[in-house]
Tab-separated table of all heavy atoms in Angstrom:
chain	number	residue	atom	x	y	z
A	960	HIS	N	-2.579	-21.806	0.841
A	960	HIS	CA	-1.705	-20.684	1.134
A	960	HIS	C	-2.115	-19.510	0.265
A	960	HIS	O	-1.976	-19.556	-0.978
A	960	HIS	CB	-0.256	-21.093	0.863
A	960	HIS	CG	0.170	-22.234	1.724
A	960	HIS	ND1	0.395	-22.118	3.089
A	960	HIS	CD2	0.404	-23.524	1.431
A	960	HIS	CE1	0.756	-23.281	3.577
A	960	HIS	NE2	0.743	-24.166	2.582
A	961	VAL	N	-2.645	-18.503	0.891
A	961	VAL	CA	-3.184	-17.350	0.205
A	961	VAL	C	-2.461	-16.117	0.677
A	961	VAL	O	-2.137	-15.982	1.862
A	961	VAL	CB	-4.679	-17.204	0.505
A	961	VAL	CG1	-5.277	-15.990	-0.172
A	961	VAL	CG2	-5.456	-18.451	0.129
A	962	ASN	N	-2.214	-15.195	-0.222
A	962	ASN	CA	-1.656	-13.910	0.166
A	962	ASN	C	-2.807	-13.097	0.761
A	962	ASN	O	-3.498	-12.353	0.045
A	962	ASN	CB	-1.044	-13.212	-1.055
A	962	ASN	CG	-0.434	-11.873	-0.690
A	962	ASN	OD1	-0.641	-11.341	0.399
A	962	ASN	ND2	0.303	-11.325	-1.628
A	963	GLU	N	-3.022	-13.266	2.040
A	963	GLU	CA	-4.161	-12.576	2.720
A	963	GLU	C	-3.989	-11.055	2.644
A	963	GLU	O	-4.995	-10.361	2.618
A	963	GLU	CB	-4.289	-13.055	4.143
A	963	GLU	CG	-4.760	-14.479	4.259
A	963	GLU	CD	-4.864	-14.949	5.689
A	963	GLU	OE1	-4.723	-14.138	6.619
A	963	GLU	OE2	-5.124	-16.154	5.865
A	964	GLY	N	-2.764	-10.613	2.648
A	964	GLY	CA	-2.549	-9.148	2.572
A	964	GLY	C	-3.133	-8.556	1.304
A	964	GLY	O	-3.768	-7.517	1.312
A	965	MET	N	-2.943	-9.274	0.178
A	965	MET	CA	-3.481	-8.846	-1.087
A	965	MET	C	-5.019	-8.712	-1.015
A	965	MET	O	-5.592	-7.733	-1.465
A	965	MET	CB	-3.099	-9.830	-2.208
A	965	MET	CG	-3.801	-9.643	-3.515
A	965	MET	SD	-3.517	-10.951	-4.703
A	965	MET	CE	-4.270	-12.384	-3.929
A	966	LEU	N	-5.640	-9.712	-0.389
A	966	LEU	CA	-7.103	-9.696	-0.283
A	966	LEU	C	-7.588	-8.567	0.634
A	966	LEU	O	-8.552	-7.838	0.323
A	966	LEU	CB	-7.627	-11.018	0.209
A	966	LEU	CG	-7.319	-12.225	-0.680
A	966	LEU	CD1	-7.783	-13.522	0.012
A	966	LEU	CD2	-7.980	-12.031	-2.010
A	967	MET	N	-6.928	-8.419	1.791
A	967	MET	CA	-7.318	-7.378	2.718
A	967	MET	C	-7.119	-5.992	2.133
A	967	MET	O	-7.964	-5.086	2.278
A	967	MET	CB	-6.552	-7.474	4.049
A	967	MET	CG	-6.824	-8.732	4.822
A	967	MET	SD	-8.568	-8.846	5.297
A	967	MET	CE	-9.024	-10.332	4.428
A	968	GLU	N	-6.009	-5.775	1.434
A	968	GLU	CA	-5.770	-4.470	0.804
A	968	GLU	C	-6.808	-4.188	-0.249
A	968	GLU	O	-7.259	-3.045	-0.409
A	968	GLU	CB	-4.375	-4.408	0.199
A	968	GLU	CG	-3.277	-4.313	1.266
A	968	GLU	CD	-1.874	-4.418	0.677
A	968	GLU	OE1	-1.723	-4.301	-0.549
A	968	GLU	OE2	-0.932	-4.585	1.480
A	969	ASN	N	-7.246	-5.195	-0.979
A	969	ASN	CA	-8.279	-5.048	-1.979
A	969	ASN	C	-9.597	-4.613	-1.330
A	969	ASN	O	-10.301	-3.703	-1.826
A	969	ASN	CB	-8.452	-6.318	-2.787
A	969	ASN	CG	-9.429	-6.219	-3.893
A	969	ASN	OD1	-10.608	-6.459	-3.730
A	969	ASN	ND2	-8.937	-5.812	-5.080
A	970	ILE	N	-9.944	-5.249	-0.231
A	970	ILE	CA	-11.187	-4.933	0.456
A	970	ILE	C	-11.150	-3.505	1.000
A	970	ILE	O	-12.073	-2.724	0.876
A	970	ILE	CB	-11.458	-5.951	1.600
A	970	ILE	CG1	-11.796	-7.309	0.985
A	970	ILE	CG2	-12.583	-5.482	2.515
A	970	ILE	CD1	-11.772	-8.452	1.950
A	971	VAL	N	-10.006	-3.131	1.616
A	971	VAL	CA	-9.842	-1.786	2.180
A	971	VAL	C	-9.923	-0.775	1.038
A	971	VAL	O	-10.563	0.307	1.166
A	971	VAL	CB	-8.533	-1.657	2.971
A	971	VAL	CG1	-8.223	-0.200	3.300
A	971	VAL	CG2	-8.631	-2.489	4.244
A	972	ALA	N	-9.283	-1.057	-0.099
A	972	ALA	CA	-9.339	-0.141	-1.237
A	972	ALA	C	-10.800	0.120	-1.689
A	972	ALA	O	-11.203	1.266	-1.947
A	972	ALA	CB	-8.534	-0.680	-2.436
A	973	GLN	N	-11.576	-0.937	-1.713
A	973	GLN	CA	-12.989	-0.791	-2.079
A	973	GLN	C	-13.739	0.098	-1.083
A	973	GLN	O	-14.565	0.940	-1.482
A	973	GLN	CB	-13.667	-2.160	-2.187
A	973	GLN	CG	-13.174	-2.993	-3.363
A	973	GLN	CD	-13.863	-4.340	-3.409
A	973	GLN	OE1	-15.065	-4.425	-3.398
A	973	GLN	NE2	-13.044	-5.371	-3.439
A	974	GLU	N	-13.485	-0.120	0.200
A	974	GLU	CA	-14.152	0.656	1.250
A	974	GLU	C	-13.734	2.144	1.141
A	974	GLU	O	-14.593	3.025	1.244
A	974	GLU	CB	-13.823	0.120	2.626
A	974	GLU	CG	-14.464	-1.186	2.952
A	974	GLU	CD	-15.975	-1.098	3.070
A	974	GLU	OE1	-16.513	-0.022	3.418
A	974	GLU	OE2	-16.644	-2.106	2.759
A	975	LEU	N	-12.437	2.407	0.951
A	975	LEU	CA	-11.988	3.785	0.883
A	975	LEU	C	-12.579	4.482	-0.349
A	975	LEU	O	-13.001	5.637	-0.275
A	975	LEU	CB	-10.456	3.821	0.846
A	975	LEU	CG	-9.748	3.377	2.147
A	975	LEU	CD1	-8.241	3.338	1.951
A	975	LEU	CD2	-10.164	4.241	3.348
A	976	ARG	N	-12.603	3.800	-1.504
A	976	ARG	CA	-13.195	4.409	-2.690
A	976	ARG	C	-14.678	4.652	-2.533
A	976	ARG	O	-15.185	5.662	-2.963
A	976	ARG	CB	-12.947	3.477	-3.909
A	976	ARG	CG	-11.567	3.588	-4.527
A	976	ARG	CD	-11.241	4.976	-5.067
A	976	ARG	NE	-12.147	5.355	-6.148
A	976	ARG	CZ	-12.613	6.577	-6.328
A	976	ARG	NH1	-12.290	7.557	-5.532
A	976	ARG	NH2	-13.439	6.848	-7.307
A	977	THR	N	-15.345	3.730	-1.869
A	977	THR	CA	-16.804	3.905	-1.627
A	977	THR	C	-17.054	5.151	-0.809
A	977	THR	O	-18.024	5.844	-0.994
A	977	THR	CB	-17.351	2.672	-0.887
A	977	THR	OG1	-17.190	1.531	-1.736
A	977	THR	CG2	-18.833	2.862	-0.544
A	978	ASN	N	-16.119	5.498	0.090
A	978	ASN	CA	-16.229	6.718	0.878
A	978	ASN	C	-15.720	7.942	0.182
A	978	ASN	O	-15.594	9.005	0.811
A	978	ASN	CB	-15.530	6.530	2.227
A	978	ASN	CG	-16.342	5.633	3.169
A	978	ASN	OD1	-17.537	5.488	3.017
A	978	ASN	ND2	-15.666	5.013	4.095
A	979	GLY	N	-15.349	7.818	-1.102
A	979	GLY	CA	-14.986	8.988	-1.871
A	979	GLY	C	-13.500	9.332	-1.847
A	979	GLY	O	-13.133	10.375	-2.403
A	980	HIS	N	-12.707	8.519	-1.232
A	980	HIS	CA	-11.264	8.798	-1.193
A	980	HIS	C	-10.613	8.479	-2.543
A	980	HIS	O	-10.948	7.444	-3.159
A	980	HIS	CB	-10.536	7.966	-0.121
A	980	HIS	CG	-10.943	8.358	1.257
A	980	HIS	ND1	-10.565	9.547	1.855
A	980	HIS	CD2	-11.668	7.685	2.193
A	980	HIS	CE1	-11.019	9.605	3.059
A	980	HIS	NE2	-11.705	8.496	3.306
A	981	ARG	N	-9.696	9.302	-2.991
A	981	ARG	CA	-8.811	8.940	-4.112
A	981	ARG	C	-7.686	8.167	-3.497
A	981	ARG	O	-7.187	8.516	-2.433
A	981	ARG	CB	-8.339	10.185	-4.771
A	981	ARG	CG	-9.490	10.965	-5.449
A	981	ARG	CD	-9.007	12.137	-6.196
A	981	ARG	NE	-8.290	11.648	-7.361
A	981	ARG	CZ	-7.693	12.461	-8.223
A	981	ARG	NH1	-7.701	13.740	-8.059
A	981	ARG	NH2	-7.057	11.968	-9.258
A	982	LEU	N	-7.301	7.103	-4.135
A	982	LEU	CA	-6.321	6.187	-3.552
A	982	LEU	C	-4.927	6.454	-4.126
A	982	LEU	O	-4.731	6.467	-5.322
A	982	LEU	CB	-6.712	4.751	-3.803
A	982	LEU	CG	-8.059	4.336	-3.241
A	982	LEU	CD1	-8.315	2.866	-3.540
A	982	LEU	CD2	-8.126	4.604	-1.738
A	983	TYR	N	-4.012	6.620	-3.200
A	983	TYR	CA	-2.588	6.769	-3.539
A	983	TYR	C	-1.823	5.843	-2.615
A	983	TYR	O	-2.288	5.466	-1.534
A	983	TYR	CB	-2.128	8.192	-3.302
A	983	TYR	CG	-2.862	9.221	-4.126
A	983	TYR	CD1	-3.958	9.919	-3.579
A	983	TYR	CD2	-2.504	9.470	-5.420
A	983	TYR	CE1	-4.660	10.840	-4.331
A	983	TYR	CE2	-3.227	10.394	-6.191
A	983	TYR	CZ	-4.283	11.085	-5.631
A	983	TYR	OH	-4.978	12.001	-6.377
A	984	PHE	N	-0.612	5.492	-3.022
A	984	PHE	CA	0.252	4.754	-2.157
A	984	PHE	C	1.634	5.401	-2.237
A	984	PHE	O	1.908	6.242	-3.101
A	984	PHE	CB	0.330	3.279	-2.537
A	984	PHE	CG	1.046	2.992	-3.810
A	984	PHE	CD1	2.384	2.625	-3.816
A	984	PHE	CD2	0.398	3.119	-5.040
A	984	PHE	CE1	3.061	2.395	-4.990
A	984	PHE	CE2	1.053	2.869	-6.222
A	984	PHE	CZ	2.403	2.506	-6.203
A	985	TYR	N	2.514	5.039	-1.347
A	985	TYR	CA	3.881	5.568	-1.352
A	985	TYR	C	4.828	4.422	-1.295
A	985	TYR	O	4.704	3.486	-0.468
A	985	TYR	CB	4.063	6.486	-0.120
A	985	TYR	CG	5.442	7.123	-0.110
A	985	TYR	CD1	5.705	8.243	-0.828
A	985	TYR	CD2	6.452	6.566	0.647
A	985	TYR	CE1	6.978	8.815	-0.836
A	985	TYR	CE2	7.739	7.132	0.671
A	985	TYR	CZ	7.980	8.267	-0.077
A	985	TYR	OH	9.224	8.828	-0.059
A	986	SER	N	5.812	4.478	-2.169
A	986	SER	CA	6.879	3.460	-2.190
A	986	SER	C	8.194	4.114	-2.507
A	986	SER	O	8.295	4.919	-3.443
A	986	SER	CB	6.539	2.414	-3.270
A	986	SER	OG	7.543	1.423	-3.302
A	987	ARG	N	9.182	3.785	-1.694
A	987	ARG	CA	10.535	4.253	-1.914
A	987	ARG	C	11.491	3.108	-1.681
A	987	ARG	O	11.484	2.498	-0.648
A	987	ARG	CB	10.874	5.420	-1.008
A	987	ARG	CG	12.263	5.886	-1.213
A	987	ARG	CD	12.652	6.981	-0.280
A	987	ARG	NE	14.059	7.270	-0.508
A	987	ARG	CZ	14.649	8.356	-0.138
A	987	ARG	NH1	13.984	9.265	0.535
A	987	ARG	NH2	15.933	8.535	-0.361
A	988	SER	N	12.310	2.879	-2.672
A	988	SER	CA	13.295	1.780	-2.574
A	988	SER	C	14.691	2.368	-2.708
A	988	SER	O	14.946	3.195	-3.604
A	988	SER	CB	13.030	0.776	-3.683
A	988	SER	OG	13.939	-0.300	-3.539
A	989	ASP	N	15.536	2.000	-1.813
A	989	ASP	CA	16.912	2.459	-1.825
A	989	ASP	C	17.803	1.260	-1.606
A	989	ASP	O	17.959	0.802	-0.494
A	989	ASP	CB	17.133	3.521	-0.771
A	989	ASP	CG	18.485	4.145	-0.836
A	989	ASP	OD1	19.405	3.579	-1.432
A	989	ASP	OD2	18.645	5.245	-0.244
A	990	THR	N	18.370	0.737	-2.657
A	990	THR	CA	19.221	-0.459	-2.544
A	990	THR	C	20.524	-0.212	-1.794
A	990	THR	O	21.104	-1.129	-1.201
A	990	THR	CB	19.540	-1.073	-3.933
A	990	THR	OG1	20.140	-0.061	-4.725
A	990	THR	CG2	18.305	-1.585	-4.619
A	991	ASP	N	20.979	1.027	-1.795
A	991	ASP	CA	22.223	1.357	-1.064
A	991	ASP	C	22.007	1.525	0.428
A	991	ASP	O	22.926	1.317	1.184
A	991	ASP	CB	22.837	2.650	-1.649
A	991	ASP	CG	23.270	2.481	-3.109
A	991	ASP	OD1	23.622	1.324	-3.468
A	991	ASP	OD2	23.225	3.435	-3.873
A	992	ASN	N	20.817	1.965	0.800
A	992	ASN	CA	20.563	2.207	2.215
A	992	ASN	C	19.180	1.715	2.576
A	992	ASN	O	18.180	2.405	2.318
A	992	ASN	CB	20.710	3.711	2.510
A	992	ASN	CG	20.660	4.002	3.997
A	992	ASN	OD1	20.400	3.154	4.804
A	992	ASN	ND2	20.960	5.263	4.349
A	993	ARG	N	19.092	0.539	3.166
A	993	ARG	CA	17.814	-0.084	3.511
A	993	ARG	C	16.976	0.779	4.439
A	993	ARG	O	15.761	0.685	4.452
A	993	ARG	CB	18.113	-1.452	4.119
A	993	ARG	CG	16.901	-2.225	4.531
A	993	ARG	CD	16.263	-2.885	3.315
A	993	ARG	NE	15.146	-3.697	3.736
A	993	ARG	CZ	14.026	-3.783	3.118
A	993	ARG	NH1	13.874	-3.162	1.954
A	993	ARG	NH2	13.052	-4.508	3.565
A	994	LYS	N	17.607	1.654	5.204
A	994	LYS	CA	16.874	2.527	6.115
A	994	LYS	C	15.902	3.447	5.378
A	994	LYS	O	14.898	3.883	5.961
A	994	LYS	CB	17.825	3.389	6.935
A	994	LYS	CG	18.640	2.690	7.980
A	994	LYS	CD	19.386	3.618	8.869
A	994	LYS	CE	20.074	4.737	8.127
A	994	LYS	NZ	20.967	5.549	8.926
A	995	ASN	N	16.205	3.735	4.129
A	995	ASN	CA	15.371	4.645	3.360
A	995	ASN	C	14.207	3.938	2.665
A	995	ASN	O	13.393	4.605	2.051
A	995	ASN	CB	16.194	5.376	2.322
A	995	ASN	CG	17.172	6.332	2.965
A	995	ASN	OD1	16.908	6.895	4.049
A	995	ASN	ND2	18.342	6.512	2.363
A	996	HIS	N	14.143	2.623	2.720
A	996	HIS	CA	13.064	1.863	2.064
A	996	HIS	C	11.754	2.088	2.832
A	996	HIS	O	11.703	1.935	4.052
A	996	HIS	CB	13.422	0.391	2.016
A	996	HIS	CG	12.364	-0.433	1.387
A	996	HIS	ND1	12.168	-0.462	0.008
A	996	HIS	CD2	11.387	-1.234	1.928
A	996	HIS	CE1	11.135	-1.236	-0.248
A	996	HIS	NE2	10.675	-1.732	0.882
A	997	MET	N	10.700	2.430	2.104
A	997	MET	CA	9.381	2.634	2.721
A	997	MET	C	8.324	2.175	1.760
A	997	MET	O	8.481	2.335	0.539
A	997	MET	CB	9.120	4.123	3.000
A	997	MET	CG	9.882	4.709	4.155
A	997	MET	SD	9.339	6.439	4.371
A	997	MET	CE	10.603	7.315	3.470
A	998	GLU	N	7.232	1.666	2.314
A	998	GLU	CA	6.030	1.350	1.492
A	998	GLU	C	4.806	1.565	2.375
A	998	GLU	O	4.694	0.963	3.441
A	998	GLU	CB	6.118	-0.090	1.069
A	998	GLU	CG	5.024	-0.468	0.121
A	998	GLU	CD	5.191	-1.876	-0.411
A	998	GLU	OE1	6.241	-2.158	-1.001
A	998	GLU	OE2	4.256	-2.679	-0.189
A	999	ILE	N	3.928	2.437	1.917
A	999	ILE	CA	2.675	2.737	2.631
A	999	ILE	C	1.553	2.297	1.723
A	999	ILE	O	1.479	2.637	0.567
A	999	ILE	CB	2.565	4.234	2.961
A	999	ILE	CG1	3.739	4.747	3.766
A	999	ILE	CG2	1.239	4.526	3.664
A	999	ILE	CD1	3.876	4.101	5.153
A	1000	ASP	N	0.625	1.512	2.279
A	1000	ASP	CA	-0.443	0.916	1.509
A	1000	ASP	C	-1.389	1.966	0.896
A	1000	ASP	O	-1.718	1.843	-0.326
A	1000	ASP	CB	-1.270	-0.066	2.338
A	1000	ASP	CG	-0.435	-1.263	2.764
A	1000	ASP	OD1	0.432	-1.707	2.018
A	1000	ASP	OD2	-0.671	-1.755	3.918
A	1001	PHE	N	-1.815	2.897	1.655
A	1001	PHE	CA	-2.743	3.907	1.148
A	1001	PHE	C	-2.427	5.270	1.778
A	1001	PHE	O	-2.044	5.347	2.936
A	1001	PHE	CB	-4.198	3.579	1.508
A	1001	PHE	CG	-4.686	2.307	0.924
A	1001	PHE	CD1	-4.776	1.146	1.711
A	1001	PHE	CD2	-5.056	2.211	-0.405
A	1001	PHE	CE1	-5.193	-0.040	1.164
A	1001	PHE	CE2	-5.481	1.015	-0.957
A	1001	PHE	CZ	-5.580	-0.103	-0.149
């Protein structure tokens, strides 16, 4: 049982950096209103 998402995100991060992209992610947590919760990988 492997967290494949962790591995795939790592591989994608390497590819994006190789192409010169600066890597950022977006995360917003709102415990009062789940509708506002967001997470973007890159």
Side-chain angles (χ1 to χ4, degrees):
H960 300 288
V961 179
N962 181 349
E963 291 179 7
M965 169 187 65
L966 298 176
M967 293 301 116
E968 288 174 12
N969 184 270
I970 292 167
V971 169
Q973 290 179 54
E974 289 294 331
L975 294 175
R976 281 297 299 142
T977 298
N978 285 337
H980 293 289
R981 295 183 70 182
L982 301 180
Y983 301 96
F984 71 96
Y985 182 82
S986 179
R987 177 181 176 164
S988 182
D989 186 341
T990 54
D991 296 330
N992 189 352
R993 181 78 177 142
K994 290 189 315 188
N995 293 329
H996 179 77
M997 287 184 263
E998 186 175 302
I999 303 297
D1000 295 326
F1001 298 102

